[in-house]
Amino acid sequence: MRVRSSAGVVWGLLVLVGVLLTGCQSPSAGVAEDGRLGGPESGSTAAGSAPATRPSGYGAVFLAVDECSSFGTTSFTEVPCAGERAAARVVARHDGTVRDGPRCPATTDFVLHISEQRPSSDEDGDGAVPQGYACMRNLQPPHPGDPGGGGGPRTIVGDCVYSSGDEQVRETSCDGKGRPEPEYKVTEAVARRADCPVTTALYVRLGGERPVGCARPL
């Protein structure tokens, strides 16, 4: 029986810097309540960054639920969801840090971390923006947060993983079109390892009420 654990993370940082993260963990690592890796017990890998942006003022709360963010590899802004610049919709929005706040929905494609902004003067009407995070869902496919999608901030039932060495695993798409190819598939989420079926070859740490993922070889 092989024992490993995994969590896939994608971060986007607004206002000061946007970061998309993916990650993996070893059996001794911990998973924050949002399903991501972080802190002294885990590791993560940055995939991109963005310069500071200012909120556009489309709602009373910057990037509230059902509001949309723009496309962009260098920055994200709030835009009307019906506009041609709209790329992703907010499915959940929380103040504070991801580590201390509620978990994003299971099929979240990525997370935007919103830095606190409290301007000394509000000449442009933007107002203060508290620290928080927005759980985002792309308006159009692909959806890396879907089961087997190969990404998203959480590892869920239906996701596939591969061995990345050093007793670690990472998510990859189950369709085999991505690289590396999948080696295991999470088929069930249970409360204890003993509840996994006998065909289980890998335990994946998922977090939440059913923190153990039972994965079979492909």
Side-chain angles (χ1 to χ4, degrees), residues 123-197:
E123 70 285 349
D124 57 2
D126 287 340
V129 177
Q131 182 182 25
Y133 57 99
C135 309
M136 308 299 294
R137 175 84 173 169
N138 293 331
L139 295 179
Q140 301 293 334
H143 294 290
D146 282 352
R154 294 178 54 184
T155 300
I156 60 177
V157 172
D159 280 341
C160 292
V161 298
Y162 69 95
S163 174
S164 61
D166 298 327
E167 294 298 314
Q168 296 180 335
V169 293
R170 294 181 184 270
E171 277 192 49
T172 188
S173 58
C174 290
D175 58 15
K177 295 180 180 179
R179 290 293 183 270
E181 295 185 355
E183 298 177 355
Y184 305 91
K185 184 172 185 177
V186 180
T187 58
E188 195 172 344
V190 297
R192 304 174 305 162
R193 291 180 181 177
D195 297 330
C196 285

Side-chain angles (χ1 to χ4, degrees), residues 39-169:
E41 293 183 327
S42 61
S44 57
T45 302
S49 61
T53 60
R54 291 183 65 81
S56 56
Y58 282 99
V61 176
F62 181 51
L63 284 180
V65 173
D66 286 334
E67 292 180 343
C68 293
S69 70
S70 66
F71 291 96
T73 57
T74 59
S75 65
F76 294 91
T77 57
E78 183 181 313
V79 296
C81 290
E84 61 181 14
R85 296 180 59 208
R89 187 184 301 273
V90 181
V91 295
R93 173 74 157 82
H94 305 288
D95 291 336
T97 65
V98 177
R99 175 178 292 277
D100 298 327
R103 305 175 78 203
C104 282
T107 55
T108 298
D109 286 331
F110 62 97
V111 178
L112 291 181
H113 181 95
I114 302 169
S115 296
E116 181 180 39
Q117 181 181 1
R118 298 187 180 278
S120 57
S121 60
D122 190 23
E123 70 285 349
D124 57 2
D126 287 340
V129 177
Q131 182 182 25
Y133 57 99
C135 309
M136 308 299 294
R137 175 84 173 169
N138 293 331
L139 295 179
Q140 301 293 334
H143 294 290
D146 282 352
R154 294 178 54 184
T155 300
I156 60 177
V157 172
D159 280 341
C160 292
V161 298
Y162 69 95
S163 174
S164 61
D166 298 327
E167 294 298 314
Q168 296 180 335
V169 293

